[in-house]
Amino acid sequence: MPRAGLIALALLAASPAAAHWEYTRWGMNEGAVIAASGGAVHALPPAERRRQGELDYRAAGRFEAEGAVFRLAFGFGRTGLRCVSIRAEDPREAPALRRWITRRFGAVQQIGGDENQSVFVWSRPDDIQMLVQPDAAIALHCAS
C-alpha cells in the first residue's frame, strides 16, 4: 500500500466515530430503540408525542447515571434516531449529568450563559448542548 494510503488509514482509525447514545445507534427506528433499551424506553401515545423542527419525539424512558435518574426523549427524523433529550428535573442533579457527559465525551468545549442559565457545549464526536437553569437541567445529544 502506498505511504499516503497508510497515513490516511491510520488517521481514519484514530479519528472518533459517531458516538451514538448508550445502547442506541443513530438511524435506529423507534422499535429498535425500545428493544435495545431492555425495557427502559417505551413508545409514547400519540397525544404525548411532540414535533420539534424536523424531529418527532415518539419514545421516552429513564436513564440512571452518576447516582441520578434522568428522563429521556428520543427524536426521530427521516433517517431514524437523530437526537436524545436527557432531562434532570432536579437542578441539583445537573453536576451528575455534566460528569456523565464529560466522562463519556471529554472536556466541555464551550461554556456560556448568564446569571439565569449556564450552557455547556460538546461538538465532537457528536453535538451535545447542556442547559442548566434554576429549575432544571437538560442535555440534547444529537448526531453530527
Side-chain angles (χ1 to χ4, degrees):
M1 181 180 280
R3 183 178 176 101
L6 287 173
I7 293 171
L9 185 60
L11 289 174
L12 183 61
S15 65
H20 306 287
W21 185 84
E22 286 301 293
Y23 45 78
T24 66
R25 295 293 173 255
W26 301 131
M28 282 181 147
N29 65 31
E30 179 182 329
V33 168
I34 292 167
S37 78
V41 175
H42 62 276
L44 290 171
E48 293 179 27
R49 294 178 178 191
R50 64 183 165 90
R51 182 156 183 83
Q52 193 166 0
E54 295 183 12
L55 296 177
D56 288 313
Y57 284 86
R58 301 189 310 254
R62 299 172 65 79
F63 175 67
E64 292 183 35
E66 300 289 324
V69 178
F70 304 103
R71 285 187 4 191
L72 303 173
F74 295 84
F76 300 87
R78 291 184 322 272
T79 60
L81 180 63
R82 299 294 302 151
C83 292
V84 179
S85 170
I86 310 159
R87 182 178 185 88
E89 292 187 7
D90 184 338
R92 293 174 295 184
E93 293 177 336
L97 182 55
R98 183 174 172 190
R99 277 193 312 272
W100 177 79
I101 294 170
T102 301
R103 283 191 179 135
R104 183 102 197 276
F105 302 103
V108 66
Q109 292 149 7
Q110 185 179 351
I111 298 175
D114 57 33
E115 66 274 359
N116 296 316
Q117 65 183 9
S118 298
V119 180
F120 305 95
V121 177
W122 293 260
S123 57
R124 55 187 184 272
D126 291 331
D127 296 320
I128 304 170
Q129 296 181 16
M130 181 177 167
L131 176 67
V132 179
Q133 298 174 319
D135 61 344
I138 188 166
L140 185 62
H141 181 170
C142 297
S144 297

